[in-house]
Amino acid sequence: MKEEPAKKNFFEDVYAVVRLIPSGRVTSYGAIASYLGSKGSARMVGWALIASQPFASIPAHRVVNRNGLLTGRQHFEEPDAMQRRLEEEGVRVENNQVANFTELFWDPAKELL
DNA sequence: CCAGTGACGGCTA
DNA sequence: TTAGCCGCCACTG
């Protein structure tokens, strides 16, 4: 069975941070990547979230890009699931973009400090 | 083995 | 200011 390399640790780390995101808050891929020390590899965070899809315990819908755009909504079970969940938590979303993104932004390097 | 793609982000023109 | 390119790392074809 193709055992996975230590790289999996990176995935677990991403999941840990995402799970710590408070309800009604959002963060960005780059913020998580930077917090993990892999700043610049925000794409890996996104890739990790794809793997987190089967894990409902991970609020991946709280993770958006630097612009606050729900870029990954197409990867959810339903394209509208991401926006719908955010609104459920009180996050206002307009045109696939999080309103007051700057206020709702949750930086693990500062909040989770 | 090599090339292209991708839930991104920062820099340069 | 806006638009475009490159860079990071992993996976697929």
Side-chain angles (χ1 to χ4, degrees):
Chain A
M1 65 180 192
K2 301 293 184 62
E3 70 291 329
E4 294 149 33
K7 168 183 47 185
K8 188 171 185 289
N9 186 359
F10 179 78
F11 277 53
E12 294 289 331
D13 204 357
V14 174
Y15 302 155
V17 177
V18 175
R19 260 183 264 184
L20 292 171
I21 301 173
S23 180
R25 292 279 185 160
V26 292
T27 188
S28 63
Y29 307 95
I32 297 172
S34 180
Y35 180 73
L36 297 178
S38 297
K39 64 178 184 181
S41 50
R43 291 182 158 169
M44 303 301 89
V45 177
W47 202 258
L49 292 183
I50 295 174
S52 80
Q53 259 294 296
F55 303 93
S57 306
I58 303 172
H61 60 271
R62 291 180 189 157
V63 185
V64 296
N65 71 353
R66 209 303 270 172
N67 288 313
L69 288 170
L70 286 59
T71 48
R73 71 185 207 157
Q74 185 63 54
H75 288 260
F76 275 75
E77 299 174 90
E78 293 182 30
D80 297 333
M82 192 173 186
Q83 180 174 341
R84 191 168 59 203
R85 281 187 174 181
L86 287 170
E87 292 187 328
E88 275 294 309
E89 299 185 349
V91 178
R92 190 156 52 89
V93 179
E94 295 189 10
N95 193 13
N96 304 330
Q97 185 173 13
V98 177
N100 307 331
F101 174 67
T102 310
E103 295 180 30
L104 299 176
F105 184 60
W106 182 82
D107 189 343
K110 295 178 181 177
E111 307 290 337
L112 182 63
L113 181 55

